[in-house]
Amino acid sequence: MFTTRPTLQGTFGMVSSTHWLASQSAMAVLEDGGNAYDAAVAGAFVLHVVEPHLNGPAGEVPILLAPAGGEVRVLCGQGVAPAGATVAHYRGLGLDLVPGTGPLAAAVPGAFDAWMLLLRDHGTKPLADVLKYAVGYAEDGHAPVEGVGATVETVRELFETEWTSSADVYLPDGRAPRTGELFRNSALAATWRRLLAEVSGAGERVTQIEAAREVWRSGFVAEALLRQARRPTLDTSGAHHTGTLTAADLAGWSASYETPVTYDWRGWTLCKAGPWSQGPVLLQQLALLPPELPAPGTADHLHLLIEGCKLAMADREAWYGDAPGAAVPLDDLLSPRYNAARRALVGDRARHELRPGAPAGRSPRLPRHARVDAVDTFAARAPGAGEPTVVSLPGGPAVAADGTTRGDTCHLDVVDRWGNMIAATPSGGWLQSNPVVPGLGFPLGTRLQMAWLEEGLPNSLAPGRRPRTTLSPTVALRDGVPVLAFGTPGGDQQDQWQLHFFLAVALRSRARGGLDLQGAIDAPNWHTDGFPSSFYPRGTRPGSVTVESRTDPGTVAELRRRGHDVTVGDAWSEGRLCAVARDPHTGILSAAANPRGMQGYAVGR
């Protein structure tokens, strides 16, 4: 199979991420004697600097970690809704959806605390050692990717007239960041330098990390975050709103560890975050597959995967969320009996309606915005429509016709020579999501836009509950041993693209005696938007399928004949996967990264 790059192989360490500077910074930590977790923290903070349109310190991150010889765990860096974030409060403001931007959409920031917890419990390096790479790029500058400047240009008028603190950072002298020129975020560098100075006298490594967590929760960082949350801010509703975040919300929340949700499939065990995330969708898509699969790339194959995805996503809409007790019937949703019945719903024709199931005889309830039947409600039909949007000035479109104003996400995988493995998907806190917090150099997040303003749903907005996120890293085991860590940006597409990748790896990809990770990443991919988007304005495109133009034309024609509304996108437009692997028998490590977008890279030796 032709691949754009080789699948890297070695024995010392491997990193794959959505930006080469993050990958190389993480690798530098491995070279300096750090483990996979030290490296991941360093890479993550570099991602905040070099991909600010895709993630930030006040965003969120789910992390799957597989310590050598230990159990796979989920580290949840998804913050909860503040105490004042009630359906009644938002309805009282005249809203029927949580805005896609602004302080009303801000959950308790989760990313920073999660990375600190990972470093404290599983790392070996001092905080200053892992932060120095991010501080250097923020202070001394880096050559920005095109997406940073392009994103800033789409919101230039907003920054110049409303979000002026963002203009101070991203439009210095009126110029957006440009490739080939150094871009600096001096405010962010100063934030990390001040934090390090304040904790330097706290004692040894763990004590300093704990002190940094307290600075974030109740020190100068918290004070600046709260001032911003109280500031009236223009959001996607076209009005100015203040947020609900309080000092008690910040001080009372911590990242936490959980047991992953797992599913066994043909000798593999896949590990995902729970139904507060999108993760179980990948598991249910596997559960829906028949014993025999059609040949990859054929219309039969794509039709089967697309229709199975719609069924799993319909169940996501009806059942997933951070609901209390047994409100999410996950055991039933992944059971053989339930999925056999669901599998029988896949016929020869594309179905355009949302069809959630009734696990254990329970009646599904869909949010009002999901109760549409074959009506295109997307603001734009561009590929990638299930990804985050940004605010516009009143009277302007929330989404540009070409989709360029959409946000996205990052991903990072690491495996070290000891066999420690990690997969993480940092996101949120985008430069286009909220104004830059004066004095900090980064904005608040907007993850509450994923919760519904209707009572009684698993994903209803409620104080202390996590909004159901699309972020979905994966760790896969063979015979109980972690062998593969992977994930992708892409909002609602994440577990669609991961399904295609995993099937390619598990069923047919071998290279040089190992898994052909790069071949599986490079293979033509697809996605459907035939369910409500997780992002404002929560639209859907019933029956839609977007494929890369490298897809066989005969396959495209047959999908259309079967009733799929097919959009043929660019040749390299679907999927942004990263992956690392370890062969437990030989100790050989491998890695690969997505060539799409020209910025994801794997490194290792």
Side-chain angles (χ1 to χ4, degrees), residues 166-348:
S166 296
D168 293 341
V169 173
Y170 289 105
L171 289 168
D173 302 319
R175 287 167 57 89
R178 297 186 181 186
T179 57
E181 299 179 1
L182 287 178
F183 173 72
R184 297 174 175 85
N185 188 338
S186 301
L188 179 58
T191 295
W192 297 145
R193 287 203 177 279
R194 179 177 174 183
L195 181 143
L196 289 171
E198 290 194 8
V199 307
S200 62
E204 47 84 35
R205 189 185 78 90
V206 170
T207 307
Q208 287 192 12
I209 295 169
E210 281 299 297
R213 296 177 73 203
E214 287 306 309
V215 170
W216 180 275
R217 290 171 172 166
S218 58
F220 79 92
V221 175
E223 292 169 359
L225 292 173
L226 292 171
R227 283 195 298 271
Q228 182 60 44
R230 299 187 197 106
R231 186 171 288 120
T233 301
L234 178 67
D235 59 38
T236 50
S237 72
H240 292 76
H241 291 113
T242 57
T244 61
L245 192 66
T246 68
D249 295 318
L250 284 172
W253 183 84
S254 171
S256 58
Y257 293 98
E258 300 176 1
T259 302
V261 178
T262 62
Y263 185 76
D264 295 331
W265 189 82
R266 299 195 183 187
W268 293 82
T269 300
L270 279 82
C271 304
K272 302 289 281 186
W276 55 267
S277 79
Q278 184 176 267
V281 163
L282 176 62
L283 309 183
Q284 190 174 356
Q285 287 179 102
L286 291 171
L288 284 163
L289 294 177
E292 297 296 327
L293 297 178
T298 63
D300 286 342
H301 181 74
L302 265 65
H303 176 78
L304 176 69
L305 300 186
I306 293 163
E307 292 304 296
C309 173
K310 293 176 188 176
L311 293 173
M313 286 295 196
D315 280 342
R316 182 194 76 167
E317 289 309 309
W319 299 109
Y320 286 24
D322 190 23
V328 182
L330 200 56
D331 289 344
D332 294 307
L333 289 170
L334 296 178
S335 69
R337 181 177 180 180
Y338 177 76
N339 285 289
R342 298 284 279 160
R343 188 183 308 127
L345 299 177
V346 178
D348 293 333

Side-chain angles (χ1 to χ4, degrees), residues 112-165:
F112 179 86
D113 197 63
W115 292 118
M116 291 301 99
L117 211 60
L118 179 71
L119 185 65
R120 183 196 73 182
D121 296 343
H122 298 277
T124 64
K125 292 286 188 180
L127 180 58
D129 284 7
V130 297
L131 275 183
K132 67 181 181 182
Y133 305 93
V135 172
Y137 286 124
E139 192 167 63
D140 300 327
H142 64 94
V145 296
E146 289 183 9
V148 178
T151 301
V152 172
E153 288 293 353
T154 64
V155 286
R156 170 184 286 274
E157 185 181 357
L158 175 70
F159 281 12
E160 291 176 337
T161 60
E162 292 279 347
W163 295 8
T164 54
S165 59

Side-chain angles (χ1 to χ4, degrees), residues 509-558:
S509 82
R510 307 292 297 177
R512 293 190 296 171
L515 300 175
D516 184 12
L517 304 182
Q518 194 65 53
I521 288 173
D522 287 353
N525 217 321
W526 57 272
H527 82 271
T528 175
D529 296 309
F531 47 82
S533 169
S534 295
F535 301 93
Y536 184 93
R538 311 303 297 267
T540 186
R541 287 175 56 200
S544 70
V545 180
T546 302
V547 301
E548 292 180 327
S549 62
R550 294 180 293 137
T551 304
D552 180 72
T555 296
V556 173
E558 176 60 17

Side-chain angles (χ1 to χ4, degrees), residues 416-428:
D416 63 29
R417 62 189 184 274
W418 300 288
N420 300 303
M421 188 176 290
I422 185 171
T425 310
S427 187

